[in-house]
Amino acid sequence: MLLDVQAACAEVGAVRICDEPGGQNAAVAAALRELEGPVAIVNADVPALTADELRALIAAAPALVAARDGTTNAIALLDARDFTPSYGAGSASRFGLRRLELPGLVDDVDTAEDLARIADRVGVHTRLVLEAASARELAQAPTGRGIRGNREVPPCAVSRLWRGVAGTVVVA
């Protein structure tokens, strides 16, 4: 998934992967300390993201795209210094920015069901892994709370997708 997000972001600007220790907030904060000016921050679990959707988000800055659960999947800012990361439950409301509905950014992958729902729209890297995974392996993927934070990682071939979610992508 991360490779698809990274590829879409690279069509738009310079890419940094935020994978510093300490969780998403610490990793994003560390990356942003080195930047100024407009940035977009995109979670690595949105494999249906397109460069056109990212451009639309950036054009609307400051704005964000929320996940269905109220967390934040992507955010565009006029200046990297104007943001204090505070991801997690309710973050989309907490950030207080205009919300956009961009399907490739709304549709994050926290469960095997999420992945199945968007499988026809994912990028080439995720598609290749899906094609290689057997139906049995996909059926054994967990259905619970997903992959982020303290959530479980699926113990099956689909985990090859999730292991790629090393961090958040920043486009400057």
Side-chain angles (χ1 to χ4, degrees), residues 14-82:
V15 173
R16 292 176 182 237
I17 305 298
C18 305
D19 59 0
E20 295 292 322
Q24 184 177 21
N25 291 325
V28 171
L32 294 180
R33 277 193 293 274
E34 300 173 16
L35 299 172
E36 60 182 68
V39 296
I41 305 162
V42 181
N43 286 356
D45 64 347
V46 289
L49 167 67
T50 67
D52 286 341
E53 288 175 321
L54 183 56
R55 286 184 193 99
L57 174 62
I58 291 168
L64 64 80
V65 177
R68 296 183 199 304
D69 66 1
T71 58
T72 304
N73 281 345
I75 191 165
L77 305 164
L78 296 174
D79 194 314
R81 297 171 295 183
D82 293 339

Side-chain angles (χ1 to χ4, degrees), residues 2 5-6 9 14-18 40-44 167-171:
L2 174 62
V5 172
Q6 189 174 0
C9 291
V15 173
R16 292 176 182 237
I17 305 298
C18 305
I41 305 162
V42 181
N43 286 356
T168 305
V169 177
V170 173
V171 180

